Amino acid sequence: MGRVYNFSAGPAVLPEEVLKEAAEEMLDYKGTGMSVMEMSHRSKAFQEILDDAQADLRELLHIPDNYKVLFLQGGAHQQFAMIPMNLMKHKVADYIVTGQWAKRAYQEAQKYGKANKIASSEDKTFSYIPDCSDLPVSDDADYVYICENNTIYGTKFKTLPNTKGKLLVADVSSCFLSEPMDVSKYGVIYGGVQKNVGPAGMVITIIREDLITEDVLPGTPTMLTYKTHADAGSLYNTPNCYCIYMCGKVFKWLKKQGGLEAMKQYNEKKAKILYDFLDGSSLFRGTVVPEDRSLMNVPFVTGSDELDARFIKEAAAQGFVNLKGHRSVGGMRASIYNAMPIEGVEKLVEFMKKFEEENR
Ligand SMILES: *Cc1c(COP(=O)(O)O)cnc(C)c1O
């Protein structure tokens, strides 16, 4: 078998072109005689990789000048702690709980102050986004927190919550760079890169400059203070150099595809193929209310655990892999990130049609 169609939620598919380029540069990166993996993070060659990655990301997202971009370690989970440690000046924050990851962040924040759950969709297994137009935002909240795209459940905020003037903090791990976003509407945006941007083991945090201060909760480790990394240009300690290099390549690839507006159109086209099929299917159905559907993660079921298991197995044998839903929801989930080609979705739907006919 050659390359498969990998529908994994993360770590996930990367553009083939990017992988080939990395392979070509593996033994000798641009005449340095070494791999990026073997290179000092203080070298000129690596500084260029880092600077380019940052410049390209700024261009793609139109990041305003008063925001810093930080390449950090510890994945999204570390941000669950860093956000309250750095931002909870009044020790109060409001959380909108729309899935497992938002819930984890909410629970983590409780260690550092008063975290309020001001809205939730847990009553219906997180299959929708609650109405966030008039929430009971706390007067003294330091921020309002959302997980913008819920990887496990396949929902996405199509409009941002009304935070009533409070700072908005968003986990965008699974929709990062899938479409344009207005960075100026947020105080902090962060994404674990292994969903839509690069290999695992890194998180990119985009943070408004005035939020980067020494005034953090007592006991906050140096490594968990945003200012440490902002002052050192993401080189306070040895960063995940290879991951930064790979993300940089993906940013260049995204620019070549026409940027985030073009990606949005492509992603909408891909998702429509799958959702249209699910809406007309007599066997499969999507699990999310139509208006909150994610373009990136598409969960679906047949209604029978036994048929679900057979589908996943037969699909894998045909080269459509990692279609099993998250262990907390079951069924299937197709993650169709930026790097999933449209042919992958078309062929998956063809296979689903065939499976449907055979299992009437
Ligand atoms: C995967 C995921 C996480 C967890 O990421 P780690 O890098 O494993 O910490 C958090 N939030 C969202 C939205 C995710 O998709």
Side-chain angles (χ1 to χ4, degrees):
M1 194 188 272
R3 277 179 65 78
V4 292
Y5 289 114
N6 180 6
F7 294 94
S8 170
V13 57
L14 286 167
E16 198 167 304
E17 211 177 303
V18 164
L19 294 172
K20 280 186 176 150
E21 244 180 63
E24 274 163 26
E25 292 172 350
M26 184 59 75
L27 296 181
D28 176 10
Y29 176 75
K30 294 193 175 164
T32 57
M34 62 178 91
S35 162
V36 173
M37 275 188 241
E38 302 169 296
M39 198 173 272
S40 164
H41 59 299
R42 309 276 174 211
S43 65
K44 186 167 168 282
F46 184 73
Q47 188 66 53
E48 269 175 30
I49 291 171
L50 182 62
D51 291 346
D52 270 11
Q54 172 158 187
D56 288 334
L57 179 63
R58 284 188 168 277
E59 191 182 322
L60 282 166
L61 272 173
H62 304 291
I63 301 176
D65 288 343
N66 63 327
Y67 285 74
K68 287 262 196 262
V69 173
L70 308 176
F71 297 94
L72 305 174
Q73 293 163 66
H77 274 79
Q78 187 154 290
Q79 297 305 297
F80 297 169
M82 277 180 82
I83 282 158
M85 286 174 140
N86 285 265
L87 302 183
M88 250 190 186
K89 317 277 183 205
H90 304 91
K91 298 211 166 202
V92 180
D94 289 349
Y95 280 72
I96 299 173
V97 178
T98 51
Q100 178 97 347
W101 300 124
K103 196 172 174 179
R104 282 242 175 119
Y106 162 64
Q107 286 166 343
E108 183 70 14
Q110 288 168 9
K111 291 186 162 185
Y112 307 102
K114 191 168 180 301
N116 305 303
K117 192 198 301 184
I118 57 166
S120 165
S121 52
E122 194 160 12
D123 59 334
K124 290 185 184 154
T125 334
F126 300 119
S127 58
Y128 69 102
I129 298 290
D131 176 3
C132 295
S133 57
D134 186 19
L135 295 173
V137 176
S138 312
D139 287 339
D140 49 356
D142 291 304
Y143 58 88
V144 175
Y145 181 102
I146 61 167
C147 177
E148 196 157 325
N149 185 80
N150 296 281
T151 325
I152 296 174
Y153 306 93
T155 59
K156 160 112 205 292
F157 280 84
K158 301 288 162 82
T159 47
L160 293 176
N162 174 4
T163 64
K164 304 192 174 166
K166 301 295 180 193
L167 201 68
L168 180 62
V169 174
D171 174 356
V172 299
S173 297
S174 50
C175 57
F176 205 21
L177 308 182
S178 65
E179 56 184 293
M181 63 193 295
D182 182 353
V183 175
S184 70
K185 294 210 161 101
Y186 304 78
V188 182
I189 296 166
Y190 74 88
V193 299
Q194 77 274 26
K195 304 292 161 65
N196 206 19
V197 183
M202 197 173 81
V203 58
I204 296 176
T205 297
I206 302 168
I207 177 169
R208 217 174 62 203
E209 257 166 12
D210 59 290
L211 303 171
I212 304 171
T213 66
E214 263 153 20
D215 178 23
V216 296
L217 297 190
T220 300
T222 308
M223 270 298 282
L224 299 189
T225 303
Y226 287 125
K227 192 167 190 308
T228 304
H229 300 284
D231 287 352
S234 299
L235 288 170
Y236 175 72
N237 72 320
T238 320
N240 189 340
C241 298
Y242 200 78
C243 192
I244 293 172
Y245 159 77
M246 289 297 290
C247 289
K249 286 207 177 296
V250 171
F251 300 155
K252 291 223 186 294
W253 177 82
L254 286 169
K255 280 170 64 177
K256 230 167 91 182
Q257 308 308 304
L260 301 190
E261 194 50 61
M263 281 325 293
K264 180 180 191 216
Q265 282 172 25
Y266 190 59
N267 288 327
E268 281 173 348
K269 204 165 142 191
K270 277 192 298 187
K272 188 172 186 312
I273 294 169
L274 192 46
Y275 284 124
D276 281 354
F277 170 72
L278 289 171
D279 288 343
S281 173
S282 57
L283 178 65
F284 299 99
R285 64 175 176 83
T287 55
V288 169
V289 299
E291 58 274 23
D292 299 328
R293 286 169 167 175
S294 165
L295 292 181
M296 296 283 101
N297 310 98
V298 184
F300 55 95
V301 294
T302 62
S304 147
D305 289 349
E306 189 245 307
L307 263 188
D308 286 355
R310 180 137 44 95
F311 174 78
I312 291 160
K313 194 165 160 239
E314 288 182 17
Q318 297 299 313
F320 306 105
V321 308
N322 291 321
L323 282 165
K324 198 172 186 321
H326 190 269
R327 59 189 183 279
S328 65
V329 278
M332 282 76 72
R333 171 179 48 172
S335 294
I336 49 175
Y337 296 120
N338 283 343
M340 172 58 66
I342 199 159
E343 301 79 51
V345 180
E346 287 166 349
K347 286 186 181 157
L348 173 66
V349 166
E350 258 171 55
F351 175 75
M352 289 168 79
K353 277 184 189 150
K354 195 163 145 270
F355 187 87
E356 182 177 87
E357 272 159 30
E358 288 166 3
N359 292 279
R360 267 182 209 287

CSV table of all heavy atoms in Angstrom, one decimal, residues 9 74-78 80 101 147 149-151 171-174 190 192 194-195 201-202 337, ligand 1:
chain,number,residue,atom,x,y,z
A,9,ALA,N,-7.8,12.6,13.6
A,9,ALA,CA,-8.0,13.9,14.2
A,9,ALA,C,-6.8,14.6,14.7
A,9,ALA,O,-6.7,15.8,14.9
A,9,ALA,CB,-9.0,13.8,15.4
A,74,GLY,N,4.7,21.8,25.1
A,74,GLY,CA,3.6,21.4,26.1
A,74,GLY,C,2.3,21.3,25.5
A,74,GLY,O,1.3,21.0,26.1
A,75,GLY,N,2.2,21.5,24.2
A,75,GLY,CA,0.9,21.3,23.5
A,75,GLY,C,-0.2,22.2,24.0
A,75,GLY,O,0.0,23.2,24.8
A,76,ALA,N,-1.4,21.9,23.6
A,76,ALA,CA,-2.6,22.7,24.0
A,76,ALA,C,-2.8,22.6,25.5
A,76,ALA,O,-3.1,23.6,26.1
A,76,ALA,CB,-3.8,22.3,23.2
A,77,HIS,N,-2.5,21.4,26.0
A,77,HIS,CA,-2.8,21.2,27.5
A,77,HIS,C,-2.0,22.2,28.3
A,77,HIS,O,-2.5,22.7,29.4
A,77,HIS,CB,-2.4,19.8,27.9
A,77,HIS,CG,-3.5,18.8,27.7
A,77,HIS,ND1,-3.8,18.3,26.4
A,77,HIS,CD2,-4.4,18.3,28.5
A,77,HIS,CE1,-4.8,17.5,26.6
A,77,HIS,NE2,-5.2,17.5,27.8
A,78,GLN,N,-0.8,22.6,27.9
A,78,GLN,CA,0.0,23.5,28.7
A,78,GLN,C,-0.7,24.9,28.7
A,78,GLN,O,-0.6,25.6,29.7
A,78,GLN,CB,1.4,23.6,28.2
A,78,GLN,CG,2.3,24.4,29.2
A,78,GLN,CD,3.7,24.0,29.1
A,78,GLN,OE1,4.1,22.9,29.5
A,78,GLN,NE2,4.5,24.9,28.5
A,80,PHE,N,-3.8,25.3,28.8
A,80,PHE,CA,-4.9,25.3,29.8
A,80,PHE,C,-4.5,25.9,31.1
A,80,PHE,O,-5.3,26.5,31.8
A,80,PHE,CB,-5.4,23.8,30.0
A,80,PHE,CG,-6.0,23.1,28.8
A,80,PHE,CD1,-6.2,21.7,28.9
A,80,PHE,CD2,-6.3,23.8,27.6
A,80,PHE,CE1,-6.7,21.0,27.8
A,80,PHE,CE2,-6.8,23.1,26.5
A,80,PHE,CZ,-7.0,21.7,26.6
A,101,TRP,N,-12.3,19.3,25.4
A,101,TRP,CA,-11.1,20.2,25.6
A,101,TRP,C,-11.4,21.5,26.3
A,101,TRP,O,-10.6,21.9,27.1
A,101,TRP,CB,-10.5,20.5,24.2
A,101,TRP,CG,-10.1,19.2,23.5
A,101,TRP,CD1,-10.4,18.9,22.2
A,101,TRP,CD2,-9.2,18.2,24.0
A,101,TRP,NE1,-9.9,17.6,21.9
A,101,TRP,CE2,-9.1,17.2,23.0
A,101,TRP,CE3,-8.5,18.0,25.2
A,101,TRP,CZ2,-8.4,16.0,23.1
A,101,TRP,CZ3,-7.8,16.8,25.3
A,101,TRP,CH2,-7.7,15.9,24.3
A,147,CYS,N,-13.5,27.1,23.2
A,147,CYS,CA,-12.8,26.2,22.2
A,147,CYS,C,-13.5,26.4,20.9
A,147,CYS,O,-14.7,26.0,20.8
A,147,CYS,CB,-12.8,24.8,22.7
A,147,CYS,SG,-12.0,23.6,21.6
A,149,ASN,N,-13.3,25.3,17.7
A,149,ASN,CA,-13.7,24.2,16.9
A,149,ASN,C,-13.6,22.9,17.8
A,149,ASN,O,-12.5,22.7,18.3
A,149,ASN,CB,-12.9,24.1,15.7
A,149,ASN,CG,-13.4,22.9,14.8
A,149,ASN,OD1,-14.3,23.1,14.0
A,149,ASN,ND2,-12.7,21.8,14.8
A,150,ASN,N,-14.6,22.2,18.0
A,150,ASN,CA,-14.6,21.1,18.9
A,150,ASN,C,-14.3,19.8,18.2
A,150,ASN,O,-15.2,19.2,17.6
A,150,ASN,CB,-15.9,21.0,19.7
A,150,ASN,CG,-16.0,22.3,20.6
A,150,ASN,OD1,-15.4,22.4,21.6
A,150,ASN,ND2,-16.8,23.3,20.1
A,151,THR,N,-13.1,19.4,18.2
A,151,THR,CA,-12.5,18.4,17.5
A,151,THR,C,-13.2,17.0,17.6
A,151,THR,O,-13.4,16.3,16.7
A,151,THR,CB,-11.0,18.2,18.0
A,151,THR,OG1,-10.5,19.4,18.3
A,151,THR,CG2,-10.1,17.5,16.9
A,171,ASP,N,-9.1,28.6,22.1
A,171,ASP,CA,-8.3,27.4,21.6
A,171,ASP,C,-8.8,27.1,20.2
A,171,ASP,O,-10.0,26.8,20.0
A,171,ASP,CB,-8.7,26.2,22.5
A,171,ASP,CG,-8.1,24.9,22.1
A,171,ASP,OD1,-7.4,24.8,21.0
A,171,ASP,OD2,-8.2,23.9,22.8
A,172,VAL,N,-7.9,27.3,19.2
A,172,VAL,CA,-8.3,27.1,17.8
A,172,VAL,C,-7.5,25.9,17.2
A,172,VAL,O,-7.3,25.8,16.0
A,172,VAL,CB,-8.0,28.4,17.0
A,172,VAL,CG1,-8.8,29.5,17.5
A,172,VAL,CG2,-6.5,28.7,16.9
A,173,SER,N,-7.1,25.0,18.1
A,173,SER,CA,-6.2,23.9,17.6
A,173,SER,C,-6.7,23.2,16.4
A,173,SER,O,-5.9,23.0,15.4
A,173,SER,CB,-6.1,22.8,18.7
A,173,SER,OG,-5.5,23.3,19.9
A,174,SER,N,-8.0,22.9,16.3
A,174,SER,CA,-8.4,22.1,15.2
A,174,SER,C,-9.1,22.9,14.0
A,174,SER,O,-9.5,22.3,13.1
A,174,SER,CB,-9.4,21.0,15.6
A,174,SER,OG,-10.4,21.5,16.4
A,190,TYR,N,-4.7,30.3,20.7
A,190,TYR,CA,-3.6,29.3,20.6
A,190,TYR,C,-4.1,28.1,19.9
A,190,TYR,O,-5.3,27.8,19.9
A,190,TYR,CB,-3.1,29.0,22.0
A,190,TYR,CG,-4.0,28.2,22.8
A,190,TYR,CD1,-3.9,26.8,22.8
A,190,TYR,CD2,-5.0,28.8,23.7
A,190,TYR,CE1,-4.8,26.0,23.5
A,190,TYR,CE2,-5.8,28.0,24.4
A,190,TYR,CZ,-5.7,26.6,24.4
A,190,TYR,OH,-6.6,25.8,25.1
A,192,GLY,N,-2.6,23.9,19.3
A,192,GLY,CA,-1.7,22.8,19.2
A,192,GLY,C,-1.5,22.5,17.7
A,192,GLY,O,-2.5,22.5,17.0
A,194,GLN,N,-0.5,20.0,15.9
A,194,GLN,CA,-0.6,18.6,15.3
A,194,GLN,C,-2.0,18.4,14.6
A,194,GLN,O,-2.2,17.3,14.0
A,194,GLN,CB,-0.3,17.6,16.3
A,194,GLN,CG,-1.4,17.3,17.3
A,194,GLN,CD,-1.4,18.2,18.5
A,194,GLN,OE1,-0.9,19.3,18.5
A,194,GLN,NE2,-2.0,17.7,19.6
A,195,LYS,N,-2.9,19.3,14.7
A,195,LYS,CA,-4.2,19.1,14.0
A,195,LYS,C,-4.2,19.5,12.6
A,195,LYS,O,-4.5,18.8,11.7
A,195,LYS,CB,-5.3,19.8,14.8
A,195,LYS,CG,-5.4,19.4,16.3
A,195,LYS,CD,-5.8,18.0,16.5
A,195,LYS,CE,-5.5,17.4,17.9
A,195,LYS,NZ,-6.2,18.1,19.0
A,201,GLY,N,3.7,18.3,19.3
A,201,GLY,CA,4.7,18.7,20.3
A,201,GLY,C,4.9,20.2,20.4
A,201,GLY,O,5.8,20.6,21.0
A,202,MET,N,4.0,20.9,19.7
A,202,MET,CA,4.2,22.4,19.8
A,202,MET,C,2.8,23.1,19.8
A,202,MET,O,1.9,22.5,19.3
A,202,MET,CB,5.0,22.9,18.7
A,202,MET,CG,5.6,24.3,18.9
A,202,MET,SD,6.7,24.7,17.6
A,202,MET,CE,5.6,25.3,16.3
A,337,TYR,N,-8.8,18.0,7.4
A,337,TYR,CA,-8.0,19.2,7.6
A,337,TYR,C,-7.5,19.7,6.2
A,337,TYR,O,-7.7,19.0,5.2
A,337,TYR,CB,-6.8,18.9,8.5
A,337,TYR,CG,-7.3,18.5,9.9
A,337,TYR,CD1,-6.9,17.3,10.5
A,337,TYR,CD2,-8.0,19.4,10.7
A,337,TYR,CE1,-7.3,17.0,11.8
A,337,TYR,CE2,-8.3,19.1,12.0
A,337,TYR,CZ,-8.0,17.9,12.5
A,337,TYR,OH,-8.4,17.6,13.8
B,1,LIG,C1,-6.2,18.0,20.4
B,1,LIG,C2,-6.7,19.1,21.0
B,1,LIG,C3,-6.3,19.5,22.3
B,1,LIG,C4,-5.2,18.8,23.0
B,1,LIG,O1,-4.0,19.0,22.4
B,1,LIG,P1,-2.6,18.5,23.1
B,1,LIG,O2,-1.6,19.1,22.2
B,1,LIG,O3,-2.6,17.0,23.1
B,1,LIG,O4,-2.5,19.1,24.4
B,1,LIG,C5,-6.8,20.7,22.9
B,1,LIG,N1,-7.7,21.4,22.2
B,1,LIG,C6,-8.2,21.0,21.0
B,1,LIG,C7,-9.3,21.9,20.4
B,1,LIG,C8,-7.7,19.9,20.4
B,1,LIG,O5,-8.2,19.5,19.2
